[in-house]
Amino acid sequence: MVDLLGQYEKIKTGIDEAILSVVQSSQYINGPEVKGFQKDLEDYLDVKHVIPCANGTDALQIAMMALGLKPGDEVITANFTYVATVEVIGLLNLTPVLVEVNPDTFNIDTVSLENAITSNTKAIVPVHLYGQCANMEEVMRIAKQYNLFVIEDTAQAIGADYTFSNGESKKAGTIGNIGTTSFFPSKNLGCYGDGGAMFTNDDELAKKLKMIANHGQSRQYYHDEIGVNSRLDSIQAAVLRKKLPHLNTYIESRNKAATYYDNAFSELDWLTIPARDNKSTHVFHQYTLKTKGINRDELRSYLSENGVPAMVYYPLPLHKQKAYKDSRYDSVDFSNTEALNESVISLPMHTELSDEHLEFITKTVKEFKK
Ligand SMILES: *Cc1c(COP(=O)(O)O)cnc(C)c1O
């Protein structure tokens, strides 16, 4: 699905030097590389504050803590996402409210979102799934109208640009109150271990995020709030600093592969290529097709037998997961989400896909039904 070694080999010298220099500096925690990466990412995203942390799940949790959400507060998010989004809501004793997604863009359906709002609703967590922004224009309109916080889960979409109707363009994760991301190795900007970050343009929130990520202390050994211990380590920051200048080139490579796939599959009546939202660029964390009138799992086994890895993100909706069952969903129609759980399939997508790889993959896929 990914080729992390191939990508590393192209920038090996710089990466090796950066890692070694952290080792030799002995500043392993919150060293100058962490500060440096934070600044570099602020520039790239054009956002006032980046607060690094240990992973993308922590980023979501710290964001919710910083907004002062209390047990019983409802947080609305998409039913079709990675579990981390809903997990932290539950962990903080907030009430997750899962809603339907758009069957074409895979992102939160804003009509279902607005319908799910109650007097207990405090926040919305749109997830920019597979690398394309959710309908942020609508999300922000709804948030303003109902006075709700917005946390953008940008783990799959770092670098995507969203353009509003008035022509204003912003980076994914810098539109709502807080954006969160993950630097897990296979993410579009991945380090060589775990890492994550939060983004905000709000000075007060930035202070709070930073404090909560660091044991709730405003100065050493003085704890104003209950916090957590969540740091990006210096070696990972050094790696990310070397990789960030390549992020736009990586996004281009991913788009090139996506276009190749699109051209190969657009004529097939048993596959639907991923829809593009005209307000968002796509950074193709995943290239995800929908199957039509065939057995998706048979296609997946056939591909695996023929040397093409393929994955299903995600096979079971969250409201059917044991941990997240809730009678509130008994009467909710999740037919879009459930149809996606049955029909989606993701093909290899990374920065090192050559024309030969793409030709082999597309030829193999097409031969499934010949
Ligand atoms: C990867 C991911 C996360 C969690 O990131 P970690 O760094 O693995 O904790 C959260 N949300 C989404 C949508 C993700 O894809």
Side-chain angles (χ1 to χ4, degrees):
M1 292 300 287
V2 295
D3 179 8
L4 300 177
L5 191 60
Q7 191 191 59
Y8 160 68
E9 275 162 356
K10 288 191 181 153
I11 51 170
K12 180 177 177 348
T13 314
I15 294 271
D16 291 359
E17 279 169 13
I19 293 175
L20 202 63
S21 98
V22 174
V23 176
Q24 285 167 343
S25 77
S26 84
Q27 293 185 282
Y28 307 131
I29 300 292
N30 287 333
E33 291 294 341
V34 178
K35 196 107 217 131
F37 171 63
Q38 176 196 324
K39 288 258 166 343
D40 293 352
L41 190 57
E42 284 167 358
D43 290 342
Y44 176 84
L45 294 172
D46 192 21
V47 71
K48 265 173 103 176
H49 305 279
V50 165
I51 299 96
C53 65
N55 57 67
T57 309
D58 275 7
L60 285 161
Q61 179 179 333
I62 297 163
M64 285 175 206
M65 291 169 78
L67 292 172
L69 302 183
K70 297 275 177 323
D73 288 350
E74 293 176 4
V75 179
I76 302 178
T77 192
N79 197 354
F80 192 64
T81 177
Y82 182 57
V83 68
T85 324
V86 64
E87 185 174 48
V88 298
I89 302 173
L91 202 63
L92 293 172
N93 280 319
L94 312 173
T95 305
V97 177
L98 298 163
V99 298
E100 217 5 341
V101 294
N102 178 297
D104 299 316
T105 63
F106 312 112
N107 278 322
I108 196 161
D109 174 58
T110 48
V111 175
S112 309
L113 159 57
E114 192 163 7
N115 287 338
I117 293 171
T118 72
S119 56
N120 293 323
T121 308
K122 292 288 154 50
I124 312 168
V125 186
V127 182
H128 305 313
L129 203 72
Y130 302 150
Q132 189 167 244
C133 292
N135 182 350
M136 288 308 290
E137 184 132 19
E138 248 323 83
V139 169
M140 295 312 287
R141 180 201 60 81
I142 294 168
K144 199 168 167 207
Q145 182 173 335
Y146 297 90
N147 198 20
L148 307 174
F149 296 118
V150 175
I151 302 171
E152 298 173 69
D153 184 342
T154 317
Q156 301 192 2
I158 193 158
D161 294 298
Y162 188 84
T163 306
F164 290 83
S165 307
N166 66 5
E168 192 186 4
S169 188
K170 289 185 177 180
K171 287 276 182 214
T174 68
I175 301 164
N177 301 87
I178 304 173
T180 65
T181 202
S182 164
F183 305 121
F184 187 80
S186 62
K187 298 280 155 91
N188 287 25
L189 178 62
C191 57
Y192 297 154
D194 276 305
M198 297 156 286
F199 327 133
T200 186
N201 281 308
D202 181 323
D203 298 342
E204 284 307 307
L205 262 181
K207 256 191 236 158
K208 231 166 165 192
L209 291 166
K210 212 171 149 179
M211 188 166 87
I212 291 170
N214 183 25
H215 297 293
Q217 60 188 358
S218 48
R219 58 195 170 106
Q220 204 172 18
Y221 307 125
Y222 292 83
H223 306 273
D224 299 347
E225 305 216 13
I226 294 178
V228 296
N229 174 22
S230 187
R231 297 184 281 247
L232 178 68
D233 74 58
S234 300
I235 290 181
Q236 300 307 340
V239 169
L240 288 165
R241 255 189 123 178
K242 288 290 171 192
K243 287 184 75 174
L244 181 59
H246 300 279
L247 180 57
N248 286 347
T249 316
Y250 291 161
I251 292 171
E252 274 170 41
S253 308
R254 289 170 176 276
N255 270 278
K256 235 182 101 200
T259 304
Y260 194 107
Y261 284 147
D262 280 353
N263 291 335
F265 304 135
S266 59
E267 300 293 305
L268 303 179
D269 60 5
W270 50 280
L271 287 177
T272 306
I273 62 170
R276 308 296 198 277
D277 185 318
N278 59 13
K279 289 202 182 121
S280 175
T281 61
H282 205 318
V283 298
F284 284 101
H285 175 59
Q286 298 299 345
Y287 183 88
T288 304
L289 295 154
K290 286 188 286 183
T291 57
K292 266 189 298 189
I294 59 159
N295 183 319
R296 187 267 319 273
D297 296 327
E298 271 172 28
L299 171 63
R300 191 179 170 199
S301 320
Y302 154 87
L303 289 174
S304 146
E305 282 156 22
N306 288 278
V308 175
M311 292 289 283
V312 172
Y313 308 109
Y314 300 91
L316 190 67
L318 291 165
H319 77 284
K320 286 194 177 163
Q321 303 279 355
K322 239 191 204 168
Y324 301 103
K325 283 201 174 137
D326 187 324
S327 58
R328 76 166 60 231
Y329 304 126
D330 289 353
S331 59
V332 181
D333 176 14
F334 283 123
S335 48
N336 290 345
T337 301
E338 285 166 4
L340 291 177
N341 296 126
E342 298 285 311
S343 66
V344 291
I345 187 160
S346 301
L347 294 179
M349 174 50 77
H350 54 84
T351 57
E352 310 304 309
L353 284 165
S354 65
D355 282 356
E356 291 74 45
H357 290 132
L358 292 165
E359 197 190 325
F360 173 74
I361 295 165
T362 52
K363 195 166 147 275
T364 310
V365 171
K366 284 189 197 165
E367 278 169 2
F368 174 69
K369 229 193 147 192
K370 252 202 179 150

